[in-house]
Amino acid sequence: MPDVIFYRDQALPFLEAKRCLKSDFAYQKHFHEEYSIGLIDKGETYAWCDGTMHRVEEGRMISFPPMMLHACHPEEGANWSYKMLFIKQDWLQGLKQHELDGLHIPFLLEKGKNKACRIHINRTMEALTGAGSPLEIETSLIELIQSVVSWNDSDFTHKRHNNRQDRKYVNLVKEYLHENYTEKITLDDLERITDISKFHLIRLFKQSSNMPPHAYQNLLRINHAKTELMKNLRPIADIAAEAGFYDQSHFSRTFSKIVGATPQKYVISM
C-alpha cells in the first residue's frame, strides 16, 4: 500500500481526502486554501499552528482554517498515521453564519465532541474510500461539520419539535426517494426539491426518520431487491444493478447488513 493515498469523487468536487501512513514524515510549515480536519489513527505528533505547539495523541482530532500556517512533527521512530479531509470554502457557505463562527481553529477537539466527530470523520472516509454514493458521502460530511460546530455535547442528541412545515419537507424527500430510489441521488437534488439548506434538511430528516436519506434510500433498494430475488427468475447481478448498486459486492454487503444473510443465501432459503 502506498504511504500516502488521496481520494476524490467527481460528483463532490469540493472534497478531497488523504490517508497517510508515513510514520516518520515531518511536514514543513504550509497552509491549505481549504478548511482541513484530521484524525490521528495511530501514534502521536506535534502540530505547530500559527506560532503555538500542540501535542496531538492517538484518537485526537485537529482542524485548521483556510490559510492558517501549520506544520506537523511526529517524534522520531513514532508509528504515526492519520487521515485528513480538505473541504473547499464555497461548500461551507451553505452553513449558517453563526455555525461558521464555530470553526475557529486551531482547534483540538475534547472529550465527547472529539468522540462524536471521530465517528463522523471515519464514516465519511469509509463512504469515500468504499465507493459510497455521493448522497452518503456528503451526508456524513455534513454530520461531521455539524458536530464540530455544536456548542456542547448535548447538541449531538438534541431534538426540537417537528412542526407541520418540517414534516412537509421530510415528506417531500421521502416521496422523491420512493420515486427515484434506483437513481444516483445527491443532496443537491434534495435541496432543490425542498428549497431549504441541505444542512438543515439533514437535521430534519434524521429527527423525523432516525436515519439519514441515503440509509432510507438503501432500504428502498433492498426491499425492491428482495421482491425480485423471491421470483428467482434473474441473476443476482442484474437485480443488484437494477436496484441501483454500482456492483454486486456493494449490493451483497448492504443486503447482509439489513437482511442478515447474503443475497445468495436468501435465494437458496426460499
Side-chain angles (χ1 to χ4, degrees):
M1 177 182 291
D3 291 333
V4 180
I5 311 172
F6 291 90
Y7 303 92
R8 307 174 187 90
D9 188 305
Q10 291 184 349
L12 306 172
F14 52 82
L15 176 66
E16 180 179 74
K18 174 183 181 182
R19 176 169 283 147
C20 181
L21 304 175
K22 283 192 172 184
S23 60
D24 58 351
F25 187 79
Y27 290 89
Q28 298 181 352
K29 292 177 183 177
H30 63 288
F31 58 75
H32 307 285
E33 295 184 358
E34 307 87 359
Y35 167 64
S36 55
I37 180 166
L39 168 66
I40 305 299
D41 287 316
K42 187 181 295 184
E44 62 182 53
T45 187
Y46 287 92
W48 181 93
C49 309
D50 201 25
T52 304
M53 188 70 77
H54 300 270
R55 181 170 174 263
V56 191
E57 307 92 344
E58 181 175 322
R60 292 289 299 279
M61 294 186 62
I62 189 168
S63 51
F64 310 98
M67 313 307 290
M68 169 165 280
L69 199 63
H70 61 281
C72 290
H73 302 280
E75 291 187 342
E76 186 175 352
N79 190 13
W80 180 54
S81 63
Y82 70 92
K83 58 176 66 81
M84 184 75 67
L85 300 177
F86 303 97
I87 308 163
K88 290 187 177 180
Q89 297 183 63
D90 54 358
W91 182 83
L92 285 169
Q93 297 310 310
L95 284 168
K96 295 178 181 179
Q97 188 56 50
H98 75 272
E99 290 178 321
L100 284 173
D101 291 342
L103 297 175
H104 56 286
I105 326 294
F107 197 74
L108 275 176
L109 305 183
E110 300 288 348
K111 297 181 180 179
K113 177 169 285 194
N114 188 86
K115 180 180 179 180
C117 292
R118 188 169 66 231
I119 291 171
H120 290 308
I121 194 173
N122 283 329
R123 285 178 179 169
T124 304
M125 286 292 295
E126 287 168 6
L128 186 57
T129 61
S133 68
L135 181 60
E136 179 180 0
I137 297 167
E138 190 172 9
T139 296
S140 298
L141 181 63
I142 285 176
E143 291 176 330
L144 169 61
I145 296 300
Q146 288 175 338
S147 292
V148 170
V149 300
S150 295
W151 289 107
N152 53 61
D153 295 345
S154 63
D155 292 340
F156 302 142
T157 56
H158 174 67
K159 293 187 178 182
R160 63 186 184 86
H161 177 68
N162 284 337
N163 58 35
R164 183 175 299 176
Q165 188 68 20
D166 291 346
R167 290 194 295 272
K168 173 188 172 183
Y169 295 136
V170 172
N171 288 337
L172 281 172
V173 172
K174 285 186 175 180
E175 289 172 8
Y176 186 84
L177 292 173
H178 277 268
E179 293 172 1
N180 301 278
Y181 63 86
T182 63
E183 304 298 322
K184 195 172 185 178
I185 298 172
T186 67
L187 277 176
D188 287 338
D189 295 328
L190 302 185
E191 187 176 54
R192 185 182 66 254
I193 65 168
T194 57
D195 198 30
I196 62 172
S197 160
K198 64 182 74 174
F199 300 92
H200 185 44
L201 175 60
I202 291 298
R203 282 199 183 102
L204 293 184
F205 196 91
K206 288 193 69 177
Q207 287 168 3
S208 173
S209 307
N210 295 303
M211 64 175 60
H214 73 268
Y216 190 88
Q217 181 186 18
N218 276 340
L219 288 179
L220 296 175
R221 287 174 165 177
I222 294 302
N223 286 336
H224 170 83
K226 286 173 65 179
T227 300
E228 294 304 308
L229 288 169
M230 288 174 66
K231 299 174 182 178
N232 202 16
L233 297 175
R234 294 186 291 156
I236 292 175
D238 291 351
I239 295 173
E242 180 183 87
F245 292 94
Y246 65 90
D247 63 26
Q248 190 172 341
S249 62
H250 182 215
F251 169 59
S252 183
R253 289 195 303 272
T254 306
F255 191 95
S256 297
K257 290 178 181 178
I258 293 172
V259 180
T262 65
Q264 291 87 346
K265 289 184 178 180
Y266 184 77
V267 172
I268 292 172
S269 65
M270 292 188 300

